[in-house]
Amino acid sequence: MKKILFILIASLMLLLCACNNNLINMTSSDNGEVHSIIWEDKIYQPFCVVSKNDCGKKIGYLNHEKDNVISVYKDFPQEEWIANYLTVDGGAMLYKEINVTDIPDGMQSDMIDIILRR
């Protein structure tokens, strides 16, 4: 029985490691005013701070840093919206792809405030 339990735990750990290896590495860019996230041919810029509770599946890391997590946000398409976990207050920064013009109802950008705080 112990041998079967050990095999099951080891298999689960291997599966979890394999899943984490499928996460995408995204890069960041800072032009002096805006900190952007680059993913393939898309550029995402900060939109507003959101709750980590609204973040879904992890899809990647930023700049190869395993503690700098990128995730999907609610049911928003990841080609348009992604979230980056904030380490300071437990929230997340929602990023919008620069070509997105359709903003969901009730959402408002904090971008001006973000730039002014720099």
Side-chain angles (χ1 to χ4, degrees), residues 8-77:
L8 286 173
I9 291 172
S11 299
L12 181 60
M13 290 177 70
L14 284 173
L15 180 63
L16 289 174
C17 289
C19 290
N20 283 339
N21 290 336
N22 293 332
L23 295 176
I24 302 161
N25 180 56
M26 299 176 190
T27 57
S28 63
S29 172
D30 191 337
N31 69 4
E33 289 185 13
V34 179
H35 175 83
S36 301
I37 295 175
I38 314 293
W39 177 19
E40 295 177 349
D41 61 342
K42 298 189 181 317
I43 299 172
Y44 297 83
Q45 293 184 332
F47 188 76
C48 66
V49 177
V50 295
S51 171
K52 231 186 237 184
N53 294 334
D54 291 330
C55 296
K57 176 181 81 167
K58 293 178 185 177
I59 57 173
Y61 298 105
L62 193 56
N63 299 322
H64 295 286
E65 297 174 14
K66 298 296 183 190
D67 60 343
N68 206 341
V69 176
I70 305 291
S71 70
V72 296
Y73 179 70
K74 293 187 177 183
D75 60 350
F76 292 18

Side-chain angles (χ1 to χ4, degrees), residues 2 27-28 47 52 66 72 79 88 93 103 111 116:
K2 287 183 181 181
T27 57
S28 63
F47 188 76
K52 231 186 237 184
K66 298 296 183 190
V72 296
E79 296 80 21
V88 178
M93 176 60 68
I103 308 299
M111 193 60 192
L116 292 176

